[in-house]
Amino acid sequence: MPLPLDPVIEKIIPLLPLRDPTTMTPQSARDSLRALAEARKAVPPPPVDVARDIEVQGSAGKLAARLYRSGSGRAPTVIFFHGGGWVAGDLETHDRQARNLVIETGAVVISVDYRRPPETRFPGAFEDAFAAIRDVVARIGEFGGDLSRVGVAGDSAGGNLAATTALACRDAGIKLAGQLLVYPVADVVGGFADPAENARFPSRAENAEGYFLTRATMQWFCGHYLADPAQGADWRVSPLRAKSLAGVAPAVVTTAWFDPLRDEGHAYARALQAAGVPVTYHAGEGLIHGYFGLGDASETARAEAQRARADFRALLEKGI
């Protein structure tokens, strides 16, 4: 039997934002995530030597980004994409996640603030994310300086961008040492509104509501990101629908047991394995979507996130 819901997290859930799509607007979603980050400012952030705002090249101009590192000399470089349903989330809301990634992997981390919908719809976020990777790789001497140890990482919608850009890197001949996919969105065909598509992933019913991220909120996010529901079949937003996953970078995939996205994330891990891609999978028992941001409160969340980052560190250290 899987572990029950972590009791610490159970108490936190009513305090979390983004739970009522009937009243949510893009701006209120952004404001609520930013307010959550602001509320934690009394707790010192994980210490790194450098946290500096920079710019990277997006698909239609410069993008804000933030470079984090500890130490000096050659190091792995990780391009990180924040979550927030493509619509919300930014450099501030995911500052602590980026810092923990630096501390626990030894990498230089570049967090990218891609353009968000509804102002920029699909495939804008994907195109920005891929352009940012290409730019970082071209300027690797300014960052970690080691082309054999470049990785991508992201959580939720950011995990979706990490997964899809890893596929694009394979096709473009850009070699990645690894990808860290944290409770990623893997298949949006049907936009979380189609009963037949939802039935393919039982977690969408089991965890439809009550555990922070709801199926209805995912439907709201998809409706804002995609200009046309038919775009959901495009691998650039549904990596599970890619014709082939062979040759993509080794992956660490995490899910959360009490998360509507659980089964599609697990399905993506299995599909990668079936294509011959080395995969380490973490089921996130007892945890909810977003648990990488709850490590200060929950020991269960902290330990699971640390295990995943340790596995990602091993991929980066091995290199290509």
Side-chain angles (χ1 to χ4, degrees):
M1 292 291 293
L3 294 176
L5 181 64
D6 178 63
V8 174
I9 288 179
E10 187 173 17
K11 293 177 181 177
I12 292 173
I13 289 173
L15 308 175
L16 297 176
L18 307 182
R19 292 183 298 121
D20 186 5
T22 63
T23 60
M24 194 162 63
T25 67
Q27 192 58 51
S28 73
R30 294 165 186 173
D31 290 345
S32 63
L33 277 189
R34 180 64 76 90
L36 184 64
E38 291 287 332
R40 302 172 67 191
K41 284 214 166 173
V43 180
V48 297
D49 291 346
V50 175
R52 174 167 55 90
D53 289 343
I54 63 170
E55 289 184 331
V56 295
Q57 184 64 46
S59 64
K62 297 292 186 180
L63 299 172
R66 186 168 296 161
L67 181 149
Y68 303 84
R69 78 170 300 162
S70 289
S72 58
R74 285 165 65 88
T77 300
V78 173
I79 302 95
F80 175 78
F81 305 112
H82 63 75
W86 302 285
V87 176
D90 57 30
L91 301 182
E92 300 301 332
T93 62
H94 285 64
D95 176 74
R96 291 171 186 263
Q97 279 202 45
R99 289 169 176 266
N100 284 326
L101 202 52
V102 173
I103 293 166
E104 295 179 33
T105 66
V108 175
V109 172
I110 300 159
S111 182
V112 176
D113 210 12
Y114 51 88
R115 291 173 299 158
R116 301 173 299 187
E119 295 87 352
T120 302
R121 291 185 180 265
F122 174 81
F126 164 82
E127 291 178 341
D128 276 351
F130 185 43
I133 294 171
R134 297 180 76 113
D135 186 39
V136 169
V137 167
R139 298 160 57 196
I140 197 68
E142 300 175 36
F143 307 118
D146 189 347
L147 278 175
S148 69
R149 294 185 294 164
V150 176
V152 293
D155 71 306
S156 192
N160 171 270
L161 294 173
T164 55
T165 54
L167 285 164
C169 284
R170 175 202 63 185
D171 295 343
I174 298 172
K175 301 294 186 181
L176 298 177
Q179 51 180 322
L180 173 61
L181 311 180
V182 177
Y183 28 82
V185 184
D187 190 346
V188 305
V189 171
F192 289 77
D194 182 274
E197 292 298 336
N198 288 340
R200 297 176 58 235
F201 305 111
S203 61
R204 292 187 181 181
E206 293 171 14
N207 303 320
E209 55 186 29
Y211 301 108
F212 170 45
L213 181 66
T214 68
R215 188 177 68 203
T217 300
M218 280 306 306
Q219 183 179 341
W220 187 93
F221 285 142
C222 291
H224 282 77
Y225 188 34
L226 303 181
D228 181 343
Q231 293 172 330
D234 193 311
W235 65 266
R236 295 174 298 171
V237 68
S238 293
L240 193 54
R241 302 286 177 147
K243 290 182 179 179
S244 173
L245 301 177
V248 76
V252 178
V253 181
T254 82
T255 58
W257 192 263
F258 298 98
D259 181 356
L261 301 184
R262 180 194 69 205
D263 290 347
E264 66 194 78
H266 191 196
Y268 193 60
R270 294 196 308 269
L272 288 168
Q273 290 174 322
V277 177
V279 177
T280 304
Y281 174 69
H282 295 270
E285 291 191 9
L287 296 168
I288 63 170
H289 191 89
Y291 76 81
F292 266 56
L294 300 176
D296 290 339
S298 164
E299 177 56 36
T300 303
R302 177 166 53 249
E304 186 78 339
Q306 287 175 337
R307 282 190 286 269
R309 287 190 288 256
D311 288 336
F312 187 46
R313 177 176 187 142
L315 292 179
L316 295 171
E317 288 180 344
K318 180 180 179 182
I320 57 174

